[in-house]
Amino acid sequence: MNAIHISGATLEYKTQNGGIVRALNNVSLDVNEGEFIALLGHNGSGKSTLAKILNGLLIPRLGEVEIFGVNTKDISKIFEIRSNIGMVFQNPDNQMIASIVEDDIAFGPENLGVPREEIIERVNWALEKVGMSSHKKSTPFKMSGGQKQRIAIAGILAIKPRIIVFDESTAMLDPQGRKEVLQVAKQLNKEENITIIWITHYMDESVDCDRVAIMNDARIIAIDTPENIFKQTELIKSSGLDLPLPLAIANDLKAQGIQIDGNILTEESLKEELCKILK
Ligand code: ADP
Ligand code: MG
């Protein structure tokens, strides 16, 4: 069974001046449990709308969305769907509820009616998973953006979801915070087999995920391994995106006649390749 099954999802918004914007146009997507999918696309391409149909926050006008086989149209199962999918958004400040970290994280399971003993266990486990155990009694408000996002992730984890959607969760963070949050997402994917949908406009965050999906103009126009996606320079550029920087540098060097491997996606592989050439 797929973690996520979307077939032919089409959704429009009504605009204030009476117009209609199509945000999803016949979108289909299947995601296996345990996959780490990066979803890339320029502003307004439909990424957040896609995120919102996953937990039934929005229901597409046409098409179907199933989460572990449960259709989001089935109102009686919306509780099950919501507890299977966690969402981490852009602004960590909007995701804080309580003024003490442990209370903030306990909020989700409390609402689910989880017994007290188990809540304590979940809070400790979630804090450990995001590397914030020593901050249990702290107040989140004075923390760095990266730390706040990790607390927000712990709050989601405490609900024990099998899928987590990160909707540009690193967009407001400094480089250190971005690294921390991506690292946590990758670890949760590996260690807990949590399926990850990682929405971003930073190309470098997508280079070592399982598959990259490109959204453009309300459609998923390509989905493949990072290697196969970033080979398609024209497709990337016409979607309003950039190549990952190491690949762009490698391509420039190649254009200058330097013999360099054309599959370079990470800083490390660029460094290795340059060292080989310069020897
Ligand atoms: P992304 O997350 O890729 O920036 P969105 O899913 O937020 O894209 O938006 C897709 C399109 O739908 C855009 O044209 C956006 O302006 C429009 N849109 C999003 N939310 C609303 C809304 N609540 N009302 C009207 N139009 C919306
Ligand atoms: Mg968005």
Side-chain angles (χ1 to χ4, degrees), residues 233-249:
T233 312
E234 281 317 308
L235 177 115
I236 301 293
K237 294 203 169 144
S238 64
S239 306
L241 302 172
D242 292 320
L243 290 177
L245 189 58
L247 179 59
I249 293 173

Side-chain angles (χ1 to χ4, degrees), residues 247-263:
L247 179 59
I249 293 173
N251 284 347
D252 282 351
L253 291 173
K254 238 192 210 157
Q256 304 278 329
I258 294 168
Q259 294 272 332
I260 188 164
D261 177 3
N263 257 329

Side-chain angles (χ1 to χ4, degrees), residues 199-269:
I199 300 174
T200 186
H201 57 252
Y202 293 114
M203 299 304 115
D204 59 326
E205 292 179 352
S206 72
V207 294
D208 59 357
C209 63
D210 296 319
R211 287 192 293 161
V212 177
I214 307 277
M215 272 198 99
N216 194 3
D217 200 12
R219 294 170 179 271
I220 292 181
I221 57 162
I223 181 162
D224 209 329
T225 60
E227 289 75 19
N228 287 341
I229 286 291
F230 290 117
K231 260 183 212 157
Q232 305 176 60
T233 312
E234 281 317 308
L235 177 115
I236 301 293
K237 294 203 169 144
S238 64
S239 306
L241 302 172
D242 292 320
L243 290 177
L245 189 58
L247 179 59
I249 293 173
N251 284 347
D252 282 351
L253 291 173
K254 238 192 210 157
Q256 304 278 329
I258 294 168
Q259 294 272 332
I260 188 164
D261 177 3
N263 257 329
I264 286 171
L265 292 179
T266 63
E267 273 177 42
E268 293 73 44
S269 54

Side-chain angles (χ1 to χ4, degrees), residues 168-218:
E168 308 218 27
S169 309
T170 58
M172 297 180 77
L173 306 182
D174 59 17
Q176 176 60 29
R178 280 178 55 202
K179 242 185 246 170
E180 289 170 12
V181 171
L182 181 59
Q183 185 62 35
V184 165
K186 284 182 179 167
Q187 231 166 294
L188 291 173
N189 177 247
K190 285 215 175 68
E191 293 171 6
E192 305 295 322
N193 200 34
I194 295 177
T195 306
I196 307 282
I197 305 294
W198 182 267
I199 300 174
T200 186
H201 57 252
Y202 293 114
M203 299 304 115
D204 59 326
E205 292 179 352
S206 72
V207 294
D208 59 357
C209 63
D210 296 319
R211 287 192 293 161
V212 177
I214 307 277
M215 272 198 99
N216 194 3
D217 200 12

Side-chain angles (χ1 to χ4, degrees), residues 61-89:
R61 180 175 60 83
L62 298 173
E64 307 298 325
V65 180
E66 287 173 13
I67 303 302
F68 290 106
V70 179
N71 198 305
T72 57
K73 280 180 189 157
D74 186 348
I75 307 278
S76 70
K77 298 276 179 62
I78 200 69
F79 193 72
E80 183 183 333
I81 288 172
R82 296 259 165 95
S83 46
N84 263 332
I85 295 207
M87 300 262 177
V88 181
F89 299 101

Side-chain angles (χ1 to χ4, degrees), residues 13-15 21 23 42-49:
Y13 293 106
K14 288 201 180 83
T15 59
V21 179
H42 65 75
N43 260 341
S45 57
K47 304 181 300 297
S48 294
T49 305

